[in-house]
C-alpha cells in the first residue's frame, strides 16, 4: 500500500539519521526526539475495529475515534504521531520489544494486562447498551425487557448476556445491521450490542426511528497502554488527554464518531 511505502521510507530515513549521530541500534520505549527533529510517538494499533480504528478502501490514512484521539494527543504533546498496524495479539509484545511507544486499539483496562503494561487514564467507557424504537416509552432499562423480544448478533457477548435474562426471547442474527432492521420492522422490541457499535450505527447511517438508551448492562474502560515503568510518558499522555477534555476537543472527536455525549 502507498501508506506502508511512506512508513518504510520514513523508517529508513530515521535509521540513517540515527546512524549518522552515532546512536546504537537498540530502540527506546521513550518517544524519540532530537534537537533537530520533531519528536515522534510510535503508536501500535490493530486496524480492524471500526469505529475505533479502520481503513476504508481508497484511503491512505487510518481512520476512527482512536486514530483522531491519538493524533490530537500527539499534537498537544508536540509529537509527530506514527501509526503502525499490528495484529491485536502482537501489540503488547511489540511494546515490550520497544518497537512502539504506546498502544491505542480499543484495549480494555484489566488486571491481567496491568501486570505487563502501564495504562493511561481511561478515555472511553464501553459496555453493552440497548437500542429501542424512538416512540418506545415502556422500555427504559434492561429490567423492562422481561416478556420482550430482543435481537443480538450471533456469537457475541451481547447474545450470551441476553440469554441469561429471565423471560427474554432472544433472536440471533448475523450482523448488527440485521438486528437494527429487525427492530425497525417491528420484529423485536430492542437490540443489545456493544455501546460503540450501537452509537456508531446511528451516527454513520443517520438512522431514524430508533434511539440508544444510556444504561449499560456491563461496563469496561479503554486505555492507552505503555511499557511498564514508563511513567514519564504516561503522565504526558494523561496531561494531554485532560487538556483535550477541558478545551472541548475530546467532545468534538467523540461527537464525530458516536454523536453528542448523553
Amino acid at each position: 500500500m502507498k501508506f506502508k511505502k511512506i512508513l518504510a521510507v520514513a523508517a529508513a530515513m530515521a535509521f540513517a539519521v540515527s546512524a549518522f549521530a552515532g546512536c546504537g541500534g537498540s530502540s527506546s520505549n521513550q518517544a524519540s526526539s532530537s534537537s533537530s527533529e520533531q519528536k515522534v510517538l510510535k503508536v501500535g494499533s490493530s486496524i480492524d475495529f471500526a469505529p475505533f480504528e479502520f481503513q476504508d478502501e481508497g484511503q491512505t490514512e487510518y481512520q476512527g475515534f482512536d486514530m483522531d484521539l491519538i493524533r490530537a494527543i500527539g499534537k498537544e504533546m508536540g509529537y509527530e504521531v506514527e501509526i503502525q498496524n499490528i495484529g491485536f495479539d502482537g501489540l503488547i509484545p511489540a511494546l515490550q520489544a520497544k518497537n512502539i511507544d504506546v498502544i491505542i486499539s480499543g484495549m480494555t483496562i484489566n488486571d491481567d494486562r496491568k501486570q505487563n503494561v502501564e495504562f493511561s487514564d481511561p478515555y472511553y467507557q464501553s459496555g453493552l447498551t440497548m437500542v429501542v424504537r424512538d416512540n418506545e416509552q415502556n422500555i427504559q432499562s434492561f429490567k423492562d425487557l422481561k416478556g420482550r423480544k430482543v435481537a443480538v448478533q450471533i456469537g457475541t457477548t451481547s447474545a450470551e448476556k441476553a440469554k441469561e435474562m429471565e423471560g427474554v426471547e432472544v433472536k440471533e442474527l448475523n450482523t448488527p445491521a440485521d438486528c437494527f432492521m429487525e427492530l425497525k420492522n417491528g420484529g423485536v422490541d430492542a437490540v443489545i450490542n456493544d455501546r460503540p457499535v450501537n452509537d456508531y450505527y446511528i451516527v454513520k447511517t443517520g438512522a431514524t426511528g430508533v434511539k440508544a438508551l444510556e444504561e449499560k448492562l456491563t461496563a469496561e474502560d479503554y486505555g492507552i497502554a505503555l511499557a511498564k515503568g514508563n511513567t514519564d510518558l504516561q503522565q504526558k499522555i494523561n496531561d494531554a488527554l485532560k487538556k483535550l477534555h477541558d478545551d472541548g476537543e475530546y467532545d468534538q472527536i467523540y461527537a464525530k464518531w458516536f454523536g453528542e455525549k448523553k
Side-chain angles (χ1 to χ4, degrees), residues 20-47:
F20 181 80
C23 298
S26 61
S27 61
S28 168
N29 209 65
Q30 295 286 346
S32 59
S33 64
S34 73
S35 59
S36 60
E37 292 184 7
Q38 185 174 10
K39 295 174 287 187
V40 175
L41 185 68
K42 296 180 180 179
V43 178
S45 186
S46 182
I47 311 296

Side-chain angles (χ1 to χ4, degrees), residues 96-111:
Q96 293 172 327
K98 302 182 181 179
N99 294 326
I100 54 176
D101 301 310
V102 302
I103 297 166
I104 186 167
S105 196
M107 183 170 282
T108 301
I109 300 172
N110 60 38
D111 291 338

Side-chain angles (χ1 to χ4, degrees), residues 116-259:
N116 297 301
V117 301
E118 306 285 356
F119 276 107
S120 69
D121 293 335
Y123 69 84
Y124 183 89
Q125 187 177 72
S126 186
L128 298 179
T129 60
M130 174 171 39
V131 174
V132 298
R133 287 181 288 277
D134 61 2
N135 60 355
E136 177 63 71
Q137 299 298 320
N138 295 321
I139 301 177
Q140 301 293 329
S141 68
F142 284 97
K143 70 178 186 298
D144 297 328
L145 291 177
K146 188 172 183 178
R148 302 279 190 156
K149 296 179 181 179
V150 173
V152 296
Q153 185 178 5
I154 190 169
T156 61
T157 303
S158 57
E160 295 174 6
K161 292 296 184 181
K163 291 174 184 177
E164 295 173 0
M165 296 179 182
E166 183 180 353
V168 175
E169 182 179 337
V170 179
K171 190 168 188 176
E172 296 183 87
L173 301 172
N174 289 325
T175 68
D178 292 338
C179 295
F180 291 118
M181 184 61 67
E182 189 72 5
L183 174 66
K184 294 185 75 171
N185 290 339
V188 295
D189 301 298
V191 171
I192 298 176
N193 215 327
D194 287 330
R195 176 192 177 192
V197 174
N198 286 338
D199 292 351
Y200 180 62
Y201 173 80
I202 292 173
V203 171
K204 182 72 173 177
T205 65
T208 57
V210 297
K211 61 184 178 182
L213 302 185
E214 181 63 15
E215 185 189 20
K216 299 180 186 68
L217 182 61
T218 62
E220 56 186 38
D221 289 325
Y222 292 170
I224 299 168
L226 308 93
K228 265 296 191 184
N230 198 355
T231 54
D232 179 61
L233 186 56
Q234 179 188 46
Q235 187 60 54
K236 289 179 181 178
I237 287 174
N238 284 340
D239 289 344
L241 188 56
K242 182 179 185 303
K243 179 70 162 50
L244 294 176
H245 277 288
D246 291 344
D247 66 16
E249 187 170 355
Y250 176 93
D251 288 344
Q252 293 175 19
I253 296 171
Y254 185 98
K256 174 182 176 181
W257 296 104
F258 305 114

Side-chain angles (χ1 to χ4, degrees), residues 4-103:
K4 289 185 177 178
K5 289 180 181 177
I6 293 172
L7 284 181
V9 171
M13 290 176 65
F15 178 81
V17 171
S18 175
F20 181 80
C23 298
S26 61
S27 61
S28 168
N29 209 65
Q30 295 286 346
S32 59
S33 64
S34 73
S35 59
S36 60
E37 292 184 7
Q38 185 174 10
K39 295 174 287 187
V40 175
L41 185 68
K42 296 180 180 179
V43 178
S45 186
S46 182
I47 311 296
D48 58 0
F49 185 42
F52 288 92
E53 39 270 329
F54 63 99
Q55 187 176 33
D56 280 339
E57 186 176 352
Q59 294 289 330
T60 56
E61 282 197 344
Y62 299 137
Q63 305 166 70
F65 176 75
D66 282 353
M67 302 293 93
D68 286 352
L69 182 62
I70 197 62
R71 289 183 182 114
I73 288 172
K75 182 178 179 181
E76 186 64 39
M77 292 167 53
Y79 283 66
E80 178 185 349
V81 174
E82 179 184 287
I83 299 169
Q84 301 178 37
N85 184 8
I86 301 171
F88 194 85
D89 289 346
L91 287 169
I92 290 179
L95 186 64
Q96 293 172 327
K98 302 182 181 179
N99 294 326
I100 54 176
D101 301 310
V102 302
I103 297 166

